[in-house]
């Protein structure tokens, strides 16, 4: 049978299996069984269909074992230039003489394979995946044979992973800054690689820069600690000894200083911000680490450090190994946003050691991480009320995301179809919260004591590997097989509904102790909505929220927002004034308040919103604020975007541009 014919049969079979699974004719288990059978029969030849639809690489023929990046950070040209070397291993026997790598907007100068100049070509761009790089070998290596390749390259202006800041765009305005954000599929815009979470490699970083450098590996003792006096480039070296997927490759360079925040932890940030950042993080970091270790097993990465980035960092946090990258919005002066650190730290087990095999199973990364993050909160605070508090906030985020997509949307499922799609477009709170709720449901079903035995087992079984949702199911059921009682309970799980039903999961009975006061206050405000001008016993005062945590205020604001009718403008404005919500340093609070004010069509809030959109580049705030502003004043939204687009990270810029275009069409 010709290769093409096999490929055709395989691809149509994969479609057939997926369609059937979606139609509910086959259970996940049955269809998985079938696909395994199928690949077993066929795979003695070339292709077994890869699990990850978002890579163009032929990673079912080759596996990257080690990657060494030697790059010069050229601030004046805003690019990286150098060599990337991959050691790859053949995982098929004498079948492939071509290595295909993901590559997007990278300028390639030359390629060597096995020490000799190699033939190579880049395929036509396929959005959103880039242009596959095809490297021709002059033979077909045998199973397990290793091949070394070296690529001379430079990044381009279109690179989606890197943001370059001019000195004027940084806080002390003295030096330029650059940082990367590779999740989900942006590593390929720094260097050609197998850009799939289903492949893990060890990494070396040899980076030259005039300014301090940070990377997702352990730093060499000899690394310089301050900018070079004369602007010359100094060498910084890092090594990541634990195999990681390409999306965890991370670098940053700028005027960065460091301080200790715990026995195995350092915070790095701009010299002027160092004191505030240290205060915010030093109390909790080691406590979180210990709590995480007590739930799973010892921390595997040596150090746990945090880099607090400039405000255009597009996420709350990114779990880059050794160095979590974090938004400066967590430095709120009240230690109320350190849950982001508990979250990123939890990824040290879920995501970084045990990874989703593709972005279709992203809940395995984020749902597990949200679960661990909330267990850590409970341990640190000494009560389970705290995780329910956080879970209630999460349920609201889930509700917003489901409403945004629509209840029947593919991306509201736990396991999603990303064929031909951009994982960034699917990003929302759904994998986090539906994933959390799934694990919470299983925990309640079998009891926390039993579930706690499974946690280390799961993380040990998949340590250093990648898995999909069916592997998760098998691991859970197999672990409890010897225990008839637990197994009987697990038999109740309706796996296909959890995996494939769009919309809401069943809502658990959360402990509302910590949110009750906030709900009661929200009800009082709702009185104004029902009867805006009538007499009222309720006279809002700053005492209403005295002694509250910022997160209780968040719950209050969300409850008001979730109300079916909007608060009249006069009252919304008054709320902002009495509770001092318009200008608080805690963006979680002010950004939510702005939504209430915008919904009430309070034009005076626009100035605050526009100001925030020029100061914060975290997508969690930026995208909803633009959505609100678009409804209130579309022209102003476009004008604000035009003004700030260079401030935003390319990923954020792209997403907001899409949002603005989308709403115009409506
Ligand atoms: N890994 C994510 C961030 C991410 C996801 C980047 C997908 C790119 C693509 C990170 O761990 C995360 O979840 N961050 C949250 C923090 C929050 C849930 C505490 C964020 O950015 O808001
Ligand atoms: Zn996360």
């Amino acid at each position: 049978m010709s290769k093409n014919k096999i490929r055709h049969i395989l691809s149509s079979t994969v479609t057939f299996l997926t369609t059937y699974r979606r139609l509910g004719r086959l259970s996940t288990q049955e269809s998985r069984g079938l696909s395994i059978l199928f690949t077993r029969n066929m795979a003695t030849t070339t292709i077994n269909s890869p699990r990850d639809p978002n890579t163009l690489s032929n990673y079912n023929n080759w596996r990257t074992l080690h990657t060494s990046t030697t790059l010069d950070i050229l601030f004046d040209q805003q690019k990286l230039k150098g060599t990337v070397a991959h050691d790859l291993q053949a995982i098929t026997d004498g079948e492939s003489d071509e290595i295909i790598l993901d590559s997007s907007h990278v300028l390639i100068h030359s390629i060597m394979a096995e020490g000799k100049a190699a033939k190579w070509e880049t395929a036509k761009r396929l959005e959103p995946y880039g242009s596959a790089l095809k490297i021709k070998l002059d033979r077909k290596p045998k199973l397990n044979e290793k091949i070394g390749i070296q690529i001379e390259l430079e990044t381009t202006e279109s690179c989606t992973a890197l943001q370059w800041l001019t000195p004027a765009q940084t806080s002390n305005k003295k030096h330029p800054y650059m940082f990367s954000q590779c999740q989900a599929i942006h590593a390929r815009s720094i260097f050609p690689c197998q850009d799939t979470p289903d492949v893990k490699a060890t990494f070396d970083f040899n980076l030259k820069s005039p300014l301090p450098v940070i990377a997702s590996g352990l730093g060499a003792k000899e690394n310089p600690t301050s900018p070079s006096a004369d602007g010359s480039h100094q060498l910084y070296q890092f090594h990541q000894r634990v195999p990681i997927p390409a999306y965890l490759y991370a670098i940053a360079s700028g005027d960065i200083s460091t301080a200790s925040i715990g026995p195995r932890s350092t915070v790095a940030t701009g010299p002027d911000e160092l004191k505030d950042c240290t205060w915010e993080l030093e109390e909790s970091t080691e406590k979180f680490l210990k709590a995480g270790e007590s739930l799973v097993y010892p921390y595997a990465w040596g150090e746990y450090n945090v880099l607090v980035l400039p405000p255009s960092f597009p996420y709350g946090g990114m779990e880059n190994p050794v160095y979590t990258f974090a938004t400066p919005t967590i430095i709120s002066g009240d230690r109320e946003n350190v849950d982001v650190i508990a979250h990123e730290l939890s990824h040290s087990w879920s995501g970084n050691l045990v990874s989703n095999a593709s972005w279709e199973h992203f809940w395995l990364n984020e749902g597990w991480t949200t679960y661990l993050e909330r267990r850590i909160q409970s341990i640190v605070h000494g009560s389970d009320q705290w995780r329910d508090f956080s879970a209630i906030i999460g349920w609201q985020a889930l509700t917003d995301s489901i409403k945004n997509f629509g209840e029947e949307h593919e991306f509201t499922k736990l396991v999603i179809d990303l064929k031909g799609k951009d994982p960034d477009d699917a990003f929302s709170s759904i994998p986090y919260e539906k994933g959390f709720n799934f694990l919470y449901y299983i925990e309640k079903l079998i009891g926390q004591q039993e579930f706690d035995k499974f946690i280390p087992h799961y993380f040990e079984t998949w340590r250093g590997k990648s898995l999909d949702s069916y592997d998760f199911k098998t691991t859970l059921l197999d672990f409890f097989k010897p225990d008839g009682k637990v197994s009987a309970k697990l038999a109740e799980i309706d796996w296909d509904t959890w995996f494939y039903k769009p919309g809401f999961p069943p809502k658990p009975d959360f402990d509302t102790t910590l949110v009750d006061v906030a709900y009661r206050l929200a009800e009082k405000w709702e009185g104004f909505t029902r009867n805006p001008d009538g007499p009222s016993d309720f006279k809002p005062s700053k005492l209403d929220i005295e002694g509250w945590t910022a997160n209780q205020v968040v719950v209050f604001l969300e409850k008001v927002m979730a109300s079916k009718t909007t608060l009249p403008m006069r009252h919304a404005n008054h709320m902002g004034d009495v509770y001092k919500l318009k200008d608080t340093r805690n963006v979680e609070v002010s950004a939510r308040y702005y939504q209430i004010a915008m919904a009430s069509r309070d034009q005076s809030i626009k100035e605050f919103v526009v100001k925030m959109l020029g100061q914060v580049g975290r997508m969690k705030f930026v995208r909803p604020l633009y959505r609100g502003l678009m409804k209130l004043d579309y022209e102003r939204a476009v004008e604000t975007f035009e003004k700030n687009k260079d401030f935003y990270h390319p990923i954020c810029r792209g997403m907001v541009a899409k949002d603005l275009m989308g709403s115009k069409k409506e």
Side-chain angles (χ1 to χ4, degrees):
M1 210 186 296
S2 78
K3 270 189 200 165
N4 270 346
K5 194 154 184 201
I6 295 169
R7 186 173 295 161
H8 174 75
I9 295 171
L10 262 176
S11 68
S12 53
T13 305
V14 170
T15 323
F16 159 85
L17 288 171
T18 336
T19 315
Y20 258 66
R21 197 187 281 155
R22 297 233 156 74
L23 288 172
R25 307 246 165 91
L26 292 176
S27 73
T28 53
Q29 202 57 354
E30 283 163 337
S31 58
R32 172 105 170 121
L34 254 178
S35 55
I36 289 170
L37 247 180
F38 197 83
T39 36
R40 285 229 175 98
N41 287 340
M42 309 296 291
T44 42
T45 59
T46 339
I47 346 129
N48 34 18
S49 169
R51 290 197 279 190
D52 182 353
N54 302 141
T55 175
L56 300 175
S57 72
N58 59 345
Y59 80 91
N60 274 4
N61 286 114
W62 302 95
R63 285 291 151 102
T64 311
L65 300 176
H66 179 73
T67 298
S68 182
T69 62
T70 304
L71 297 165
D72 226 336
I73 302 177
L74 303 174
F75 285 106
D76 49 345
Q77 299 174 52
Q78 302 204 323
K79 66 184 175 201
L80 303 175
K81 194 172 177 184
T83 310
V84 171
H86 296 296
D87 297 332
L88 297 127
Q89 185 168 34
I91 55 165
T92 48
D93 195 17
E95 278 167 18
S96 174
D97 58 1
E98 188 175 60
I99 297 169
I100 308 176
L101 300 177
D102 291 299
S103 181
S104 177
H105 302 301
V106 177
L107 181 58
I108 297 164
H109 295 302
S110 64
I111 300 179
M112 309 263 277
E114 303 191 279
K116 294 177 299 212
K119 279 203 193 119
W120 57 275
E121 61 177 11
T122 49
K124 194 169 166 281
R125 221 186 135 75
L126 178 68
E127 293 298 349
Y129 305 130
S131 340
L133 166 64
K134 300 183 178 180
I135 304 167
K136 205 81 192 152
L137 304 175
D138 47 21
R139 63 197 185 92
K140 294 182 173 175
K142 298 240 167 323
L143 183 69
N144 295 336
E145 250 191 273
K146 289 180 190 157
I147 298 288
I149 58 168
Q150 279 115 34
I151 308 171
E152 295 283 330
L153 56 84
E154 59 190 85
T155 60
T156 65
E157 219 185 12
S158 312
C159 173
T160 50
L162 302 176
Q163 186 171 20
W164 298 86
L165 303 176
T166 61
Q169 289 172 304
T170 66
S171 72
N172 68 9
K173 323 240 177 271
K174 284 192 198 147
H175 297 281
Y177 199 103
M178 65 83 51
F179 66 89
S180 67
Q181 166 57 46
C182 289
Q183 199 181 8
I185 56 168
H186 301 281
R188 63 190 71 175
S189 76
I190 304 183
F191 51 81
C193 59
Q194 293 184 318
D195 195 5
T196 163
D198 212 2
V199 170
K200 296 184 177 195
T202 52
F203 275 83
D204 274 317
F205 305 73
N206 305 300
L207 304 164
K208 280 193 179 162
S209 174
L211 298 168
V213 177
I214 271 162
S216 49
L218 290 168
K221 279 195 296 294
E222 304 76 37
N223 283 349
T225 52
S226 51
S228 68
D230 54 359
S232 61
H233 286 219
Q234 310 185 92
L235 176 66
Y236 294 80
Q237 293 187 301
F238 304 84
H239 178 62
Q240 184 47 265
R241 57 175 190 229
V242 184
I244 55 168
Y247 80 89
L248 293 176
Y249 181 87
I251 55 176
S253 183
D255 189 4
I256 296 170
S257 342
T258 56
S260 165
I261 48 166
R264 40 187 159 165
S265 304
T266 294
V267 66
T269 192
D272 299 344
E273 288 79 33
L274 194 58
K275 212 171 136 232
D276 281 3
C277 292
T278 308
W279 182 85
E280 203 89 29
L281 305 177
E282 68 190 352
E283 190 201 48
S284 48
T285 306
E286 181 61 22
K287 282 190 202 159
F288 290 161
L289 266 160
K290 288 222 174 74
E293 291 182 313
S294 75
L295 285 167
V296 194
Y297 49 61
Y299 182 72
W301 307 84
E303 299 167 18
Y304 177 76
N305 307 321
V306 180
L307 171 68
V308 180
L309 285 121
S312 60
F313 187 63
Y315 291 97
M318 176 64 215
E319 65 272 27
N320 298 318
V322 181
Y323 252 108
T324 280
F325 282 20
T327 165
T329 60
I330 65 165
I331 311 303
S332 45
D334 54 10
R335 291 180 173 159
E336 286 258 0
N337 290 304
V338 287
D339 52 336
V340 173
I341 301 301
H343 179 94
E344 303 315 331
L345 168 67
S346 299
H347 274 303
S348 307
W349 294 274
S350 49
N352 296 6
L353 275 183
V354 175
S355 314
N356 52 213
S358 87
W359 304 114
E360 298 186 324
H361 303 271
F362 187 46
W363 78 272
L364 288 170
N365 274 19
E366 297 300 344
W368 260 113
T369 299
T370 305
Y371 177 85
L372 292 178
E373 169 205 335
R374 290 181 180 151
R375 289 293 302 273
I376 290 176
Q377 296 284 11
S378 295
I379 294 171
V380 170
H381 286 105
S383 129
D384 255 3
Q385 281 175 3
W386 285 90
R387 84 153 156 173
D388 283 27
F389 180 45
S390 170
I392 290 168
I393 299 179
W395 189 272
Q396 188 55 50
L398 174 69
T399 309
D400 295 344
S401 292
I402 292 177
K403 283 212 180 109
N404 237 333
F405 282 127
E407 282 204 42
E408 289 300 315
H409 197 281
E410 177 67 24
F411 296 162
T412 67
K413 297 175 184 172
L414 196 58
V415 180
I416 60 176
D417 179 4
L418 277 176
K419 252 186 266 63
K421 296 185 192 150
D422 184 345
D424 281 347
D425 288 338
F427 181 75
S428 80
S429 293
I430 294 163
Y432 294 72
E433 300 301 336
K434 210 169 185 176
F436 164 80
N437 274 284
F438 186 35
L439 297 170
Y440 186 89
Y441 157 78
I442 298 173
E443 181 212 289
K444 295 275 174 200
L445 183 70
I446 65 175
Q448 198 177 86
Q449 233 186 346
E450 294 298 335
F451 195 73
D452 280 357
K453 294 182 204 156
F454 174 64
I455 297 174
H457 169 77
Y458 169 74
F459 285 101
E460 201 48 66
T461 306
W462 293 99
R463 186 182 183 123
K465 304 192 181 102
S466 308
L467 82 161
D468 61 26
S469 302
Y470 324 114
D471 295 322
F472 166 77
K473 175 180 174 181
T474 312
T475 312
L476 180 74
L477 297 183
D478 285 355
F479 179 69
F480 287 112
K481 213 166 246 164
D483 186 329
K485 240 169 94 189
V486 176
S487 291
K489 287 184 190 155
L490 290 175
E492 280 177 33
I493 302 174
D494 182 347
W495 292 89
D496 279 359
T497 301
W498 274 103
F499 285 173
Y500 302 119
K501 188 169 170 274
F504 288 94
K507 185 169 182 179
D509 242 341
F510 292 124
D511 178 332
T512 59
T513 315
L514 292 165
V515 297
D516 284 338
V517 276
Y519 284 174
R520 279 199 296 273
L521 184 62
E523 268 164 36
K524 290 185 190 164
W525 281 89
E526 270 191 28
F528 291 131
T529 311
R530 286 191 295 270
N531 189 4
D533 302 312
S536 166
D537 301 339
F538 173 52
K539 296 270 172 291
S541 121
K542 65 173 197 244
L543 298 177
D544 297 343
I545 57 165
E546 201 174 58
W548 286 24
T549 66
N551 282 328
Q552 283 175 307
V553 179
V554 163
V555 171
F556 158 72
L557 293 171
E558 290 199 325
K559 194 78 185 161
V560 172
M561 267 194 273
S563 167
K564 282 194 191 69
T565 42
T566 44
L567 199 59
M569 179 175 37
R570 185 161 56 84
H571 297 290
N573 197 292
H574 187 50
M575 178 194 281
D577 289 333
V578 271
Y579 298 157
K580 299 204 172 13
L581 304 172
K582 292 183 183 173
D583 233 351
T584 133
R585 189 169 167 197
N586 193 320
V587 185
E588 296 280 353
V589 171
S590 45
R592 282 182 179 83
Y593 170 69
Y594 297 162
Q595 295 296 352
I596 293 177
M598 284 195 287
S600 79
R601 310 204 66 78
D602 176 0
Q603 300 288 337
S604 74
I605 208 66
K606 278 194 295 200
E607 299 318 310
F608 292 90
V609 173
V610 167
K611 187 170 159 218
M612 184 174 283
L613 287 170
Q615 290 174 340
V616 173
R618 180 176 175 189
M619 286 197 281
K620 173 180 174 183
F621 302 120
V622 172
R623 294 185 67 194
L625 284 175
Y626 271 110
R627 264 184 235 128
L629 189 60
M630 275 179 325
K631 284 192 201 134
L632 192 61
D633 185 343
Y634 186 81
E635 302 297 308
R636 190 74 192 271
V638 174
E639 184 193 308
T640 309
F641 177 67
E642 273 303 311
K643 204 167 132 213
N644 293 315
K645 62 181 196 298
D646 290 337
F647 162 67
Y648 302 133
H649 185 279
I651 299 173
C652 176
R653 195 184 304 147
M655 297 307 291
V656 175
K658 272 191 211 171
D659 291 345
L660 284 166
M661 301 271 284
S663 100
K664 204 172 179 184
K665 266 186 261 147
E666 273 165 21

